Amino acid sequence: MTRRLVPCMGWGVGLMALITPYEIRCRLFTTRGWLHQGYDADEVDDLLDDAADSLEQVSRWALITHSRMRALQAGHQHRRRSLKRRRAAIKNIKRKGRK
């Protein structure tokens, strides 16, 4: 399993173990012999656990990123509406000053 710097639960970056698609494709399993055809169940379970953990971390990161993006967009829309109101108020003051 490769360790690399990826976004984690906080604001920064953390060291997490993520399995890559290449590692999944290249993983070799031991066979159980000529009488028992198939792979060792423990090795397959370990691969599936690693893949599930990596998917969970990436999904969590995507959810956090999406929620932060939505919050930024909502804040931006609020600031834009506020700025529009201020401009309208300034125009009204200028019109009153001309009369």
Side-chain angles (χ1 to χ4, degrees), residues 7 9 19 35-36 38 43 51 86 89:
M9 288 301 291
I19 191 167
L35 277 179
H36 305 285
E43 290 180 3
R86 288 179 194 158

Side-chain angles (χ1 to χ4, degrees), residues 14-84:
L15 192 63
M16 287 191 317
L18 291 179
I19 191 167
T20 63
Y22 176 77
E23 291 170 333
I24 292 172
R25 287 185 185 103
C26 293
R27 181 82 57 105
L28 297 175
F29 301 109
T30 55
T31 53
R32 299 172 68 183
W34 65 275
L35 277 179
H36 305 285
Q37 292 182 353
Y39 298 115
D40 184 16
D42 292 334
E43 290 180 3
V44 175
D45 287 343
D46 290 341
L47 173 67
L48 291 175
D49 288 341
D50 290 345
D53 291 341
S54 294
L55 182 61
E56 182 181 11
Q57 292 294 334
V58 170
S59 299
R60 200 176 289 157
W61 175 79
L63 180 66
I64 290 169
T65 303
H66 179 71
S67 64
R68 286 180 184 162
M69 184 182 68
R70 296 281 296 175
L72 288 173
Q73 286 175 346
H76 176 70
Q77 289 172 354
H78 173 72
R79 285 191 300 274
R80 207 162 79 195
R81 277 187 242 126
S82 177
L83 185 59
K84 231 178 182 179

